[in-house]
Amino acid sequence: MDESDQEQPTDDMSGLLVSVGLNRDVEAFEVLFRHYAPRVKAYMARLSRDGTAAEELMQETMMVVWNKAAQFEPSRGTVSTWIYTIARNVRVDVYRRTKRPEFDLNDPAFVQDDAAPADKAFEAFQEAERLRRAMAALPAEQLDLLKRSFYEDSSHSAIAEALSIPLGTVKSRIRLAFAKLRAALEER
Amino acid sequence: MSINHHISDELLLRYASGELAEGWSLAVATHLALCPSCRQRLSKMETIGGALLENISTGAASDDAWARMRRRMDKADVRVSQPMEDHRQAGRAEPILPEPLRSYLGGDIDSLKWRSLGMGAYQIPIRLADTSTIARLLRIPAGKPVPEHGHAGQELTLVLAGSFRDGSDVFARGDLEEADASLTHQPLASEGEDCICLAVTDAPLKFKSWLVRLIQPVLGI
């Protein structure tokens, strides 16, 4: 883990990204870039194992972040979640050569959530903090499986084969890890 | 509307992590449009994905990478997106088919050209760029069984109108049924209203014989 920018709290990132959206703030974007670009590149590298492709996909992702910053809503979640979803979509577009099918919040057939939006921005920040702690407390083999299911293009049965452990064990470890993280997210 | 049959954790995780093929993703995303509770589960998974990204071990960003980014930003500064606007219009009838499915079919239910499957059932094949799965919209007459469509792998069925019964389970609008090869099932459309559903299956095995390949499309699904 990169120690130098550990102190950068997530809500500062949120403020920076909002400023990029409102003011095309290049300085704020540079801070975001220096923090997230290596992470996005590492995420891409885990999938492609090709440094040039990973660099290219990272540049593409960060370009979308720059162009779509105005669409970021702090009330919907953290910057890392938002950038993760963009990186994932760039990857799907490139590797599957298709647009990822997604629901449309503005579609008249879309069923809205009744839950009243409270102070979601603060909540999202707190959630991220709880999640970080819960993740640090996960047993290594559970965290490893979680990473594999997010970063590698493989099903649970392919993961089981690669690690030579029973499919049932893969599924139950992932289920356990999820249950813990979900519990952390649902704490109030 | 209350949905009783939701997306399983494994399927939703594969959608959240971007691994799910286009056809399955189409069914999952269309269910999500109708199901706030699965959207909350998805958003938790994406939050976990974000936290993993935050914790990934890496070196520092190179000045060279930033310089390249700056050049791209200067070149591309024209196509800046605006905040999302709300395009919903009050007073207009809600479409039966939610996005992203509606765009895949090119319109809502009353603009579709159905093809007969026999026995009063109809289908519309859905064009996918990724051909590892096959997706189609099915219309099953009220009270009739879903035509047998021998599939060897997985099948996802999302109900959009009417309902069907499978054993003791009833599937209505928004409900998603996940079936695999081990499950023998014979869904039956409920009385009263035709059942319209999105069905996604693994692409059929390719037969070696050119003759079988030739007649396979004629045999239908």
Side-chain angles (χ1 to χ4, degrees), chain A residues 35 91 96 100 107 171, chain B residues 10 15 17 19 54 99:
Chain A
H35 182 79
R91 173 163 85 86
R96 298 210 180 273
R100 175 183 150 89
D107 173 19
K171 283 184 189 262
Chain B
E10 180 175 0
Y15 179 75
S17 59
E19 288 161 28
E54 195 67 54
E99 292 294 1

Side-chain angles (χ1 to χ4, degrees), chain A residues 110-164:
Chain A
F110 181 83
V111 176
Q112 301 291 327
D113 199 343
D114 309 329
D119 187 359
K120 286 281 180 65
F122 182 63
E123 221 173 83
F125 171 61
Q126 285 199 316
E127 258 186 16
E129 266 306 295
R130 288 199 301 269
L131 188 61
R132 202 180 52 76
R133 268 181 271 130
M135 213 170 261
L138 280 183
E141 80 271 7
Q142 285 177 22
L143 186 61
D144 176 56
L145 280 180
L146 206 60
K147 282 184 183 163
R148 283 173 187 271
S149 48
F150 272 95
Y151 294 148
E152 288 171 17
D153 202 0
S154 45
S155 64
H156 289 181
S157 41
I159 293 173
E161 212 167 291
L163 296 177
S164 319

Side-chain angles (χ1 to χ4, degrees), chain B residues 95-158:
Chain B
I96 301 287
L97 305 177
E99 292 294 1
L101 179 60
R102 196 168 68 248
S103 292
Y104 269 85
L105 284 156
D108 200 28
I109 215 97
D110 39 20
S111 69
L112 301 177
K113 290 204 177 76
W114 294 94
R115 296 183 194 173
S116 176
L117 274 172
M119 309 277 287
Y122 290 85
Q123 72 158 338
I124 299 172
I126 297 173
R127 191 183 298 273
L128 300 175
D130 166 2
T131 53
S132 65
T133 58
I134 286 185
R136 59 186 152 254
L137 203 63
L138 289 172
R139 196 176 88 204
I140 314 303
K144 291 284 178 359
V146 176
E148 199 48 66
H149 41 281
H151 57 86
Q154 280 212 299
E155 182 183 39
L156 285 183
T157 311
L158 175 68

Side-chain angles (χ1 to χ4, degrees), chain A residues 24 56 59 63 66-67, chain B residues 67-80:
Chain A
R24 314 302 294 149
E56 205 44 57
Q59 291 271 341
M63 201 60 210
W66 170 250
N67 283 329
Chain B
R68 286 183 60 205
M69 193 75 224
R70 284 296 286 129
R71 284 196 294 277
R72 284 186 72 164
M73 285 157 65
D74 288 341
K75 258 188 263 169
D77 228 4
V78 271
R79 33 160 244 184
V80 171

Side-chain angles (χ1 to χ4, degrees), chain B residues 59-221:
Chain B
S62 72
D63 290 336
D64 187 48
W66 172 242
R68 286 183 60 205
M69 193 75 224
R70 284 296 286 129
R71 284 196 294 277
R72 284 186 72 164
M73 285 157 65
D74 288 341
K75 258 188 263 169
D77 228 4
V78 271
R79 33 160 244 184
V80 171
S81 339
Q82 292 308 307
M84 280 193 272
E85 275 172 53
D86 195 333
H87 296 297
R88 275 168 293 174
Q89 289 174 40
R92 283 191 50 186
E94 274 184 22
I96 301 287
L97 305 177
E99 292 294 1
L101 179 60
R102 196 168 68 248
S103 292
Y104 269 85
L105 284 156
D108 200 28
I109 215 97
D110 39 20
S111 69
L112 301 177
K113 290 204 177 76
W114 294 94
R115 296 183 194 173
S116 176
L117 274 172
M119 309 277 287
Y122 290 85
Q123 72 158 338
I124 299 172
I126 297 173
R127 191 183 298 273
L128 300 175
D130 166 2
T131 53
S132 65
T133 58
I134 286 185
R136 59 186 152 254
L137 203 63
L138 289 172
R139 196 176 88 204
I140 314 303
K144 291 284 178 359
V146 176
E148 199 48 66
H149 41 281
H151 57 86
Q154 280 212 299
E155 182 183 39
L156 285 183
T157 311
L158 175 68
V159 178
L160 297 153
S163 62
F164 70 79
R165 182 178 291 278
D166 193 355
S168 56
D169 280 336
V170 175
F171 294 79
R173 180 169 168 84
D175 280 326
L176 184 75
E177 184 179 53
E178 279 181 51
D180 59 28
S182 66
L183 189 87
T184 40
H185 64 146
Q186 185 51 278
L188 191 70
S190 308
E191 295 290 344
E193 188 183 353
D194 287 359
C195 178
I196 294 175
C197 51
L198 168 66
V200 183
T201 57
D202 292 314
L205 295 171
K206 288 197 172 59
F207 290 99
K208 284 207 176 83
S209 148
W210 63 270
L211 183 65
V212 176
R213 267 209 307 273
L214 260 184
I215 61 171
Q216 206 181 356
V218 182
L219 297 174
I221 54 179

Side-chain angles (χ1 to χ4, degrees), chain A residues 12 16 18 28 31-32 48 53 60 67 77 101 105 114 121 127 146 160 172 177:
Chain A
D12 279 6
L16 291 170
V18 168
V31 178
L32 289 165
S48 73
E60 188 60 38
N67 283 329
L105 296 165
D114 309 329
E127 258 186 16
L146 206 60
S172 66

